[in-house]
């Protein structure tokens, strides 16, 4: 298997770390048939890639075999944001190359420097990836990965921006919707929820981003959370750069 390195893995603050511990624990109770989990959002820059990577890392820390699949073929930020370094002289094949028949599964699947977590990068970005994401070849890839791994974490494009995530969801076992707390309009969430429900894939819960832990109410909700993971993340521009430290005062 090819190898690559995540050189800029985000450092998780205490509340963020505990939130993802809670989330990974809850996921472990979903049963053996829930293995292909898709993360999406209603808008761009809500922290879905950070959430996907952090969840995959936490599941791997629990001794699970995990593969993270980047399916945001239009505008992925995973490689640039987290400093993914491919082997020297590598062809840098990814999902788009596989779906186009240019590469095979073993050429797009990489072992990473995160123990227990492998990775399928996007490869080349595409203007219209929907026909490829709707193909039997893509479904077959996810099914084979689900046979080989305990969990397949699928990082998908924002469902409120393009329809790709709703198509990908048809091949998954469950959906986690990443939401910026107090920033996304209610109607946006209603529309995103409706699109995802049309896929037939169940929405397992919501990951709330930008929650202020200094407030008593938020702390109370955090410790009572079930399928929800509350955390505060710092983002700059369109990049998803991981979690910020807890605010003082």
């Amino acid at each position: 298997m090819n190898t690559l390195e995540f050189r800029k893995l985000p450092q998780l603050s205490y509340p963020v770390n505990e939130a993802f511990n809670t989330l990974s624990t809850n996921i472990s109770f979903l049963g053996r048939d829930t293995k292909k989990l898709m993360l999406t959002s209603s808008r761009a820059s809500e922290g879905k890639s950070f959430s996907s990577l952090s969840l995959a890392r936490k599941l791997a820390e629990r001794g699970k075999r995990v593969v993270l699949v980047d399916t945001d073929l239009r505008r992925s930020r995973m490689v640039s944001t987290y400093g993914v370094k491919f082997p020297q002289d590598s062809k840098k094949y990814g999902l788009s190359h596989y779906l186009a028949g240019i590469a095979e599964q073993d050429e797009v699947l990489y072992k990473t420097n995160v123990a227990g977590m492998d990775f399928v990068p996007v490869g080349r970005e595409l203007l219209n990836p929907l026909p490829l994401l709707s193909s039997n070849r893509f479904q077959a890839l996810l099914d084979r990965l689900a046979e080989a791994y305990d969990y397949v974490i699928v990082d998908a494009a924002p469902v409120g921006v393009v329809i790709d995530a709703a198509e990908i969801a048809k091949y998954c076992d469950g959906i986690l919707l990443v939401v910026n707390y107090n920033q996304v309009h209610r109607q946006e969430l209603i529309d995103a929820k409706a699109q995802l429900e049309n896929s037939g894939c169940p929405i397992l819960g919501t990951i709330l981003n930008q929650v202020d832990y200094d407030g008593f109410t938020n702390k109370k909700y955090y410790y009572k959370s079930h399928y929800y993971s509350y955390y505060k993340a710092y983002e700059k521009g369109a990049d998803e750069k991981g979690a910020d430290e807890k605010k003082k005062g």
Side-chain angles (χ1 to χ4, degrees):
M1 182 186 295
N2 296 319
T3 60
L4 55 73
E5 179 184 2
F6 283 84
R7 294 181 294 175
K8 298 179 182 179
L9 287 170
Q11 299 297 314
L12 305 184
S13 62
Y14 177 78
V16 176
N17 187 67
E18 287 303 300
F20 279 106
N21 280 334
T22 301
L23 180 60
S24 62
T25 298
N26 289 337
I27 285 174
S28 69
F29 287 112
L30 293 175
R32 295 182 179 179
D33 293 333
T34 305
K35 304 182 70 173
K36 295 173 288 185
L37 303 175
M38 187 190 78
L39 279 74
T40 186
S41 58
S42 60
R43 293 180 178 181
S45 300
E46 289 196 78
K48 65 175 184 58
S49 293
F50 167 77
S51 299
S52 298
L53 176 58
S54 298
L55 175 58
R57 290 172 67 190
K58 281 299 172 184
L59 289 170
E61 286 178 9
R62 297 173 64 90
K64 304 299 183 181
R65 293 200 66 225
V66 184
V67 57
L68 174 62
V69 183
D70 189 353
T71 66
D72 192 351
L73 295 178
R74 299 176 191 261
R75 196 167 178 259
S76 173
R77 291 294 180 266
M78 187 78 72
V79 170
S80 60
T81 300
Y82 301 112
V84 174
K85 182 181 180 182
F86 289 85
Q88 193 172 11
D89 300 325
S90 169
K91 294 181 179 179
K92 299 182 180 179
Y93 282 149
L95 180 61
S96 60
H97 297 97
Y98 168 81
L99 295 178
I102 299 172
E104 295 304 320
Q105 178 176 318
D106 61 343
E107 296 178 284
V108 303
L109 183 60
Y110 294 81
K111 185 176 181 179
T112 74
N113 55 318
V114 178
M117 186 191 85
D118 295 339
F119 180 51
V120 177
V122 292
R124 177 173 294 183
E125 293 183 355
L126 304 173
L127 291 176
N128 181 26
L130 192 58
L132 294 179
L133 294 171
S134 304
S135 67
N136 292 333
R137 189 170 173 83
F138 178 58
Q139 181 179 7
L141 173 65
L142 293 184
D143 288 344
R144 285 196 301 269
L145 292 175
E147 292 176 359
Y149 293 86
D150 296 311
Y151 291 102
V152 181
I153 305 300
V154 179
D155 180 26
V159 70
V161 179
V162 292
I163 197 63
D164 300 0
E167 188 66 32
I168 294 169
K170 296 177 181 179
Y171 309 133
C172 295
D173 303 320
I175 300 166
L176 292 172
L177 184 62
V178 180
V179 179
N180 260 1
Y181 180 66
N182 270 348
Q183 294 186 29
V184 179
H185 297 299
R186 181 173 181 270
Q187 190 59 49
E188 289 180 283
L189 291 178
I190 292 174
D191 294 342
K193 179 175 178 288
Q195 279 197 357
L196 293 172
E197 287 177 337
N198 287 336
S199 72
C201 183
I203 300 175
L204 303 177
T206 302
I207 300 175
L208 290 182
N209 183 22
Q210 302 286 6
V211 174
D212 185 1
Y213 276 93
D214 289 337
F216 169 79
T217 302
N218 290 331
K219 289 181 180 179
K220 181 179 179 182
Y221 280 142
Y222 167 69
Y223 288 110
K224 287 188 175 182
S225 65
H226 184 48
Y227 285 112
Y228 296 81
S229 172
Y230 302 108
Y231 66 94
K232 174 184 171 185
Y234 170 74
E235 297 171 350
K236 183 178 181 181
D239 292 337
E240 298 160 347
K241 294 193 175 182
D244 191 18
E245 293 299 322
K246 185 178 179 182
K247 289 183 179 179
K248 295 182 180 179

